[in-house]
Amino acid sequence: MQIRTLFWGAALTPALVLAETESHRLPAVDIIGSSADAFSLSGSAYVLNNEDLEKKEYTDVHRMLQDAPGVYLQEEDGYGLRPNIGIRGAASGRSERVSLMEDGVLMAPAPYAAPAAYYFPSAGRFHGIEVLKGPDTLRYGPFTVGGAINFLSTPIPDSPAGMVQLETGENGHQRGHAWYGATHGQWGFLLETHQQSSDGFKDVDRSDRDTGFDKRDYIAKLRWTSPAEASLRQALELKLSHSSEVSNETYLGLSDGDFHDDPNRRYGLSALDQMDNDHDGIALRHHLVLGDRTQLESVIYRNEFQRDWFKVSGAGGRGLGGLIDDANGGDADAWAILDGSQDVSDVTVKHNNREYTAKGVQSELAHAFTTAALEHEMVVGARFHQDEVDRYQPVEVFSQTNGVLVPSGYVAPTGGDNRVEEADAWSAWLVDKIYIGKLILTGSLRYEDIQSKARRYGDPGRDTVSRRDSNDVSEVLAGLGATYLLSDQWSLLAGVHQGFAPAGASATDGTDPEKSVNYEAGARYWGERVNVDVIGFYSDYENTLQNCSLAYPCDLAGGGSQDSGSVSFGESRVYGLELAAGSTLWRAANGLTVPLRLAYTYTRGKVTRSSESSDAAVESGDRLPYLPEHQASLTVGLEQPAQWGGYLTTRYVEGMCVTGACDNGLERTDDLLVVDLTASYYLTSAVEVYGKVDNLFDEQKIVARSPDGARPNLPRTAALGIRAHF
């Protein structure tokens, strides 16, 4: 493996590669490249390519990411509709501490004003996934505390090609995925759709409504490139996307007693709960080659997301979390309200109605040059981003009478249910990768300037403003990474960088962002049949921040909680070890192979000094929530390439504390051990049939207690499918 190949592949993807390729190619939108490109990076990097994803046929991004070490996943609905993803101690709730991108563009509905990622594209259409941690994440902000994840969509093919996939399974599961594209001369295009639906696996008390979903994605791409003989080589690509989702999902979980009786039960109070959302996106990328060693890439983007999550929020004067807590504590009235055996007159069901807009323009100049016999690959970039979330959330009131919800009133929204939050952000970054023999040094700088504001209205018509909040944050972040290439198989790496995560737009004046200093060091071995990455990490948090929401309210020291704004936990530290390994355990003369893939993460995290100025109910020594100490994923396969294959994946996640104190079993999740099985057979070189069973041994545990009660993982679910390429 040549150092130069590694350098150009990983350092400036997609920078100077275009100058040596066909004129019709637009550079890739990846942030790492291939698994081989990760070899020379100064931080932890993990790539799941299209072949990896097709082997397991997952449609839940939680299951996909279990193969990446250092990534923490909190399940909620069993299908991954609202993923909760964290990296190296960064909070996993609504993935709000991770820079989520699709094709290199921020994809959260409002990553600065309201970073909770309630929108997520259908994972079943992903062409690849990249997970990046360490100093290189300063290039992909704003969230640099944990890392960045880039989801790759299907690329425009070089020649006419397409794919059709159909799948059916238990609980009314249906899935269809199709795409077709081509390149003719200077023009290329792609049309794609992914559609998935299910009746769900839970049963609502006294209701005929299912607990499933119907989600549909549509993608269109159009590309133009200049002629090969043009003096100015450039390319344009337009990407249009639309998705819709209707899902009968709720925030209401179960009491522990009811969970152990039937984990797939849902209380009748949630019978009306339903999420209805639509997402529209547009991105225009331009690539310009300015010479053999210089290029400029720019993108203009806009995303719009509208949602109304109509869901129960309280009953009998108590919130859902309070009802569950009281029922767990033996309160007979709380249990009777949940069970439907006690009438109650004030069941509130809120229209969690929000409209998001995110738009921006970013540009990146890549230039390679030589100074004092040192090779440099430098990237200079900037982005201006604006986003907004508009909440207008009325409440419908019902009476629970004989276990049935009967309409009884309406409450027009004011205050926190009638507010607009906005953010303007300027970002700039400089990355210089320097070659010194076998040593690669990467220096990174990032600048973030964020101006946020929020206003709450005192009346439904928005004639009066009852409260205004604003906050300005400016930070300069630095990082330094080093990779030493001992040989074609061995490399050593080390790095340090400053982590940053802004508070949401409802933060009050003077609210500091989350900040940390992150260290890592490790080694990589990439042999012919064995690949191993071992990386230790240590993150020292100067200010650990929690954004408060209905899904993850902030517990206050004086009792109660808040569901907007931010609170500080104070100082904390997170440390651990990541291990990723891949191997071909055995290969026969006829090509039969036994592949293996392992991902293991050990993590410890706790508050080291509570914030004296915060109202949060956190004390020194408390654990960080939803952070498992041990987690692992092991996949063993048996395959005859291009003929058939079978893969058994075993995943273990140790029980996690859901509160800092973690005083009893009601403040922890259960240990979870789940086995998935996938098998496929090629009818022809282009047609493949497959079967899969998720959770083969039907092991269901309490995998989360947020939002509002104990929640199970997906039960045993089988499906059959067929995929044809043409």
Side-chain angles (χ1 to χ4, degrees):
M1 184 181 296
Q2 296 297 316
I3 294 176
R4 190 64 181 167
T5 301
L6 287 169
F7 178 57
W8 285 71
L12 278 183
T13 305
L16 302 172
V17 180
L18 183 64
E20 301 176 1
T21 59
E22 301 95 326
S23 62
H24 65 263
R25 284 189 179 272
L26 194 72
V29 287
D30 47 50
I31 63 175
I32 297 174
S34 67
S35 295
D37 293 328
F39 185 79
S40 64
L41 288 181
S42 58
S44 173
Y46 200 84
V47 177
L48 293 170
N49 60 32
N50 191 53
E51 182 181 358
D52 297 327
L53 299 179
E54 287 187 348
K55 284 181 179 179
K56 296 187 178 182
E57 297 296 347
Y58 289 142
T59 57
D60 181 349
V61 71
H62 289 130
R63 277 179 146 80
M64 294 175 178
L65 288 171
Q66 68 190 10
D67 284 338
V71 180
Y72 312 100
L73 309 164
Q74 180 193 332
E75 296 190 55
E76 183 173 327
D77 51 59
Y79 293 109
L81 298 176
R82 247 72 60 196
N84 299 290
I85 304 168
I87 294 179
R88 288 185 176 173
S92 60
R94 291 291 178 263
S95 311
E96 65 178 18
R97 287 290 183 268
V98 179
S99 293
L100 296 177
M101 297 175 284
E102 180 171 344
D103 295 335
V105 175
L106 293 174
M107 70 180 216
Y112 285 90
Y118 283 92
Y119 161 74
F120 207 87
S122 295
R125 67 170 175 81
F126 291 157
H127 190 77
I129 303 176
E130 302 173 296
V131 181
L132 180 65
K133 304 183 284 286
D136 287 3
T137 58
L138 290 183
R139 185 175 169 187
Y140 307 103
F143 305 101
T144 64
V145 170
I149 301 179
N150 186 37
F151 302 99
L152 300 172
S153 66
T154 305
I156 297 174
D158 297 337
S159 58
M163 187 276 293
V164 174
Q165 180 179 11
L166 300 174
E167 185 178 296
T168 185
E170 293 183 279
N171 300 319
H173 169 75
Q174 301 289 330
R175 178 189 177 200
H177 183 200
W179 59 263
Y180 178 77
T183 297
H184 298 285
Q186 295 174 237
W187 293 92
F189 75 93
L190 176 84
L191 298 175
E192 180 177 22
T193 183
H194 184 279
Q195 305 193 19
Q196 184 180 359
S197 63
S198 171
D199 293 336
F201 61 90
K202 297 180 182 179
D203 296 311
V204 183
D205 293 350
R206 304 172 302 281
S207 174
D208 293 331
R209 172 178 277 190
D210 64 48
T211 58
F213 66 93
D214 186 342
K215 189 168 186 181
R216 308 182 181 196
D217 283 34
Y218 303 90
I219 303 288
K221 294 182 179 181
L222 180 65
R223 181 185 63 207
W224 171 86
T225 57
S226 59
E229 65 275 9
S231 58
L232 189 64
R233 299 182 61 192
Q234 57 184 318
L236 278 170
E237 182 176 286
L238 175 66
K239 176 185 174 184
L240 303 174
S241 61
H242 171 77
S243 71
S244 65
E245 176 196 326
V246 176
S247 55
N248 297 326
E249 285 297 337
T250 182
Y251 270 17
L252 182 57
L254 295 170
S255 70
D256 276 41
D258 288 332
F259 183 96
H260 293 304
D261 288 340
D262 181 4
N264 298 325
R265 176 189 179 186
R266 251 180 59 178
Y267 298 126
L269 284 174
S270 69
L272 302 178
D273 291 12
Q274 185 177 83
M275 162 71 89
D276 190 345
N277 68 53
D278 289 276
H279 180 273
D280 292 284
I282 181 171
L284 179 63
R285 295 176 57 222
H286 178 247
H287 186 83
L288 181 64
V289 178
L290 298 173
D292 291 340
R293 311 193 79 189
T294 307
Q295 63 180 3
L296 178 68
E297 178 144 0
S298 305
V299 60
I300 302 172
Y301 60 91
R302 180 183 177 92
N303 293 308
E304 296 180 352
F305 180 58
Q306 302 86 34
R307 51 156 276 195
D308 185 359
W309 198 344
F310 188 54
K311 61 181 185 289
V312 63
S313 57
R318 286 178 275 192
L320 298 181
L323 274 173
I324 295 293
D325 291 342
D326 292 343
N328 283 331
D331 187 321
D333 288 339
W335 183 87
I337 291 172
L338 292 169
D339 188 55
S341 58
Q342 178 171 309
D343 292 350
V344 62
S345 60
D346 57 347
V347 179
T348 54
V349 186
K350 181 188 288 187
H351 287 273
N352 284 271
N353 180 41
R354 305 175 190 176
E355 295 184 2
Y356 298 82
T357 302
K359 57 186 178 181
V361 56
Q362 64 185 43
S363 190
E364 193 171 73
L365 179 68
H367 179 59
F369 59 96
T370 303
T371 60
L374 298 179
E375 290 287 338
H376 294 255
E377 295 276 2
M378 182 174 287
V379 174
V380 180
R383 177 176 66 214
F384 177 63
H385 177 96
Q386 292 180 309
D387 56 40
E388 174 187 285
V389 53
D390 187 336
R391 307 169 193 254
Y392 191 86
Q393 304 180 153
V395 174
E396 295 188 30
V397 183
F398 294 80
S399 296
Q400 179 172 261
T401 305
N402 296 323
V404 178
L405 296 179
V406 180
S408 62
Y410 177 88
V411 180
T414 60
D417 289 332
N418 190 349
R419 72 183 192 264
V420 177
E421 299 161 300
E422 304 171 73
D424 291 352
W426 284 97
S427 308
W429 55 93
L430 170 66
V431 180
D432 189 9
K433 191 175 286 280
I434 308 170
Y435 255 99
I436 309 173
K438 294 184 177 182
L439 177 66
I440 305 173
L441 292 178
T442 304
S444 304
L445 289 173
R446 185 175 188 88
Y447 171 72
E448 289 277 356
D449 183 87
I450 306 165
Q451 297 179 342
S452 64
K453 59 184 179 181
R455 56 189 181 276
R456 302 187 179 198
Y457 294 96
D459 64 288
R462 296 187 168 180
D463 295 320
T464 59
V465 176
S466 60
R467 175 176 168 178
R468 295 183 185 271
D469 292 305
S470 63
N471 193 36
D472 294 345
V473 173
S474 294
E475 291 288 340
V476 177
L477 311 169
L480 179 64
T483 304
Y484 188 76
L485 305 178
L486 293 170
S487 67
D488 287 350
Q489 287 79 39
W490 283 97
S491 68
L492 303 177
L493 63 96
V496 57
H497 77 281
Q498 293 174 287
F500 170 85
S506 280
T508 57
D509 186 28
T511 299
D512 291 329
E514 185 166 82
K515 291 188 286 187
S516 65
V517 180
N518 309 294
Y519 307 87
E520 65 180 349
R524 291 189 177 103
Y525 174 77
W526 287 59
E528 182 179 352
R529 296 180 61 173
V530 178
N531 300 326
V532 180
D533 289 29
V534 180
I535 299 175
F537 61 91
Y538 180 91
S539 297
D540 187 1
Y541 285 75
E542 174 187 337
N543 183 39
T544 313
L545 204 65
Q546 180 184 357
N547 287 337
C548 312
S549 66
L550 288 171
Y552 299 91
C554 299
D555 294 328
L556 302 180
S561 61
Q562 69 182 59
D563 58 18
S564 65
S566 305
V567 299
S568 172
F569 286 177
E571 300 177 13
S572 63
R573 68 167 180 255
V574 179
Y575 61 91
L577 180 73
E578 299 173 0
L579 169 65
S583 174
T584 301
L585 294 179
W586 179 72
R587 177 179 292 143
N590 65 354
L592 187 67
T593 60
V594 179
L596 176 145
R597 169 176 281 165
L598 170 68
Y600 167 76
T601 308
Y602 167 76
T603 313
R604 292 295 298 270
K606 68 177 183 178
V607 176
T608 55
R609 182 177 181 180
S610 58
S611 174
E612 298 178 357
S613 61
S614 174
D615 294 329
V618 177
E619 296 181 358
S620 178
D622 282 357
R623 300 188 183 187
L624 297 182
Y626 287 107
L627 195 63
E629 186 169 345
H630 299 279
Q631 65 176 29
S633 173
L634 175 66
T635 299
V636 179
L638 180 65
E639 59 185 20
Q640 183 73 50
Q643 295 184 33
W644 54 267
Y647 309 92
L648 195 71
T649 298
T650 302
R651 173 170 54 107
Y652 171 75
V653 181
E654 188 177 34
M656 301 173 279
C657 293
V658 301
T659 66
C662 204
D663 290 330
N664 54 61
L666 295 174
E667 296 180 357
R668 288 185 60 88
T669 64
D670 296 332
D671 293 349
L672 179 68
L673 182 67
V674 169
V675 178
D676 298 334
L677 175 66
T678 307
S680 63
Y681 180 79
Y682 284 88
L683 299 176
T684 71
S685 61
V687 180
E688 175 189 12
V689 294
Y690 62 87
K692 62 178 182 176
V693 182
D694 292 337
N695 196 356
L696 181 63
F697 299 110
D698 201 24
E699 188 77 7
Q700 284 190 283
K701 298 290 186 178
I702 297 176
V703 295
R705 294 183 180 275
S706 302
D708 302 325
R711 313 180 79 87
N713 55 301
L714 184 75
R716 180 169 53 224
T717 305
L720 296 172
I722 183 170
R723 176 173 45 241
H725 288 272
F726 57 91

